[in-house]
Amino acid sequence: MNKRKQVWNLLKSNIRRASMSWQIYVSICVVILSTIPTYIDNIEWYSLNNMLTIGANNRFIFSFIVDNHYLPILGPVIAILPYGCSIFEDRKSSYINNIVIRTSPQSYLLSQISITILLGGLVFAVPLLIQYACYAAFDRVPSPVILAPFSMGFFSNVYAVSMCGYILAFIVHCFIYGMVFALFGYSIAINAKNKLTIFLIPLAISYTGQYIYFVVPNQIKRYLSYFLPINLFEIRQTSCMLDEHIVQFSILCIVSIMLIIRGYTKIRNLSNGIIFKTI
């Protein structure tokens, strides 16, 4: 069996496995339900027909982007939960031994990583798109521009041109955020001895980044973001810079690849040992 067919068969197997797990549905529900506390906090504004709540675009922006504090807090867990721990569970149950006998470690990891990062992004993008479609379907009133169109930053330029474009940029950003953190969680899981660390390390990095972002002086905050993955979820302010996010996501991807290579070496050695014993 050639490698392409191996990967495709493993992809189908991983998709079936992911669809039958409860984790993916919990992540989607958390994203959807994260707007409920925001809505409760803003219920007085809704009742007064405040400008923030006029039109589908404003309702979405001030429920998911500006006032929603739960997605940035739970973001790493939401991304990792659907399939990021799969490699850890396979290692713990020795299921990986059965897989590497029938296929190559490269095909096994490639298929798992592909499904992990895809699900990590989709658990954000799909519910967000559904929510926005619901807002647009039931609220046809034009949305007045509320936020000040800052002259700096990619997101401010998008917002100044189109509020809908700004929302779609946020959803794409969440999709990429989910993929990157799912990959990071997987890279920890492939080396982890304790399942809890798979969630705690990304959470610690995310929270530390938020803390650094809010305590360091503004003069060095801009430069620090090019060296540390800080404030990764932040596009709630339209003045945020696109290049900062690209650098920060790239840092996490590079670290993830290094950890995956380390874990792959262990799996390859395991595969060679199993094949040698079989022979």
Side-chain angles (χ1 to χ4, degrees):
M1 185 182 299
N2 60 52
K3 183 175 292 187
R4 182 176 297 179
K5 192 171 182 179
Q6 280 185 350
V7 173
W8 176 243
N9 290 335
L10 287 168
L11 280 173
K12 292 190 292 185
S13 175
N14 284 316
I15 291 172
R16 287 194 299 268
R17 179 180 172 186
S19 65
M20 292 186 292
S21 67
W22 56 268
Q23 291 95 326
I24 184 174
Y25 303 106
V26 169
S27 293
I28 292 174
C29 288
V30 170
V31 173
I32 295 174
L33 295 176
S34 67
T35 55
I36 292 179
T38 305
Y39 183 87
I40 293 174
D41 291 341
N42 294 335
I43 192 67
E44 183 177 351
W45 294 105
Y46 283 105
S47 63
L48 294 175
N49 198 28
N50 187 271
M51 291 285 287
L52 304 184
T53 67
I54 297 177
N57 290 336
N58 278 326
R59 285 182 182 273
F60 185 92
I61 289 172
F62 286 93
S63 292
F64 272 109
I65 304 179
V66 175
D67 287 339
N68 192 322
H69 304 291
Y70 299 93
L71 281 183
I73 292 173
L74 299 174
V77 174
I78 294 171
I80 296 169
L81 189 59
Y83 213 60
C85 297
S86 56
I87 182 67
F88 176 84
E89 294 167 355
D90 289 353
R91 289 170 49 232
K92 186 177 180 181
S93 64
S94 298
Y95 176 71
I96 192 173
N97 297 348
N98 300 324
I99 295 295
V100 295
I101 290 176
R102 298 192 294 268
T103 186
S104 66
Q106 298 98 316
S107 300
Y108 168 71
L109 288 182
L110 182 60
S111 64
Q112 274 209 335
I113 291 171
S114 300
I115 296 299
T116 298
I117 62 177
L118 181 62
L119 290 177
L122 288 178
V123 293
F124 284 99
V126 171
L128 290 175
L129 284 171
I130 292 174
Q131 287 281 84
Y132 183 49
C134 291
Y135 280 127
F138 294 103
D139 191 343
R140 302 296 182 87
V141 179
S143 301
V145 176
I146 304 297
L147 299 176
F150 297 101
S151 60
M152 56 186 295
F154 169 79
F155 298 108
S156 65
N157 295 332
V158 174
Y159 183 87
V161 174
S162 169
M163 294 174 70
C164 178
Y166 177 68
I167 291 171
L168 294 178
F170 171 75
I171 295 175
V172 171
H173 172 269
C174 290
F175 181 74
I176 297 172
Y177 174 97
M179 290 196 300
V180 171
F181 262 99
L183 179 66
F184 185 51
Y186 186 90
S187 70
I188 297 171
I190 199 173
N191 296 283
K193 296 182 179 179
N194 189 319
K195 189 174 184 178
L196 198 59
T197 60
I198 303 171
F199 298 99
L200 289 181
I201 293 176
L203 278 174
I205 291 175
S206 178
Y207 292 163
T208 302
Q210 292 285 347
Y211 177 78
I212 292 174
Y213 185 84
F214 287 110
V215 300
V216 299
N218 290 331
Q219 293 84 349
I220 64 172
K221 186 183 297 184
R222 166 77 169 154
Y223 303 100
L224 191 63
S225 63
Y226 289 109
F227 300 97
L228 295 174
I230 63 175
N231 217 34
L232 283 167
F233 206 91
E234 185 62 70
I235 72 161
R236 291 176 292 175
Q237 298 175 5
T238 55
S239 57
C240 289
M241 300 295 184
L242 181 63
D243 54 345
E244 292 180 8
H245 290 278
I246 292 174
V247 171
Q248 292 163 1
F249 286 141
S250 299
I251 291 171
L252 276 184
C253 287
I254 292 171
V255 173
S256 299
I257 291 171
M258 293 172 63
L259 290 174
I260 288 173
I261 291 173
R262 181 175 182 270
Y264 166 73
T265 302
K266 296 179 180 179
I267 294 175
R268 186 182 59 187
N269 294 338
L270 172 67
S271 174
N272 292 338
I274 292 173
I275 293 174
F276 179 76
K277 290 180 181 178
T278 304
I279 294 174

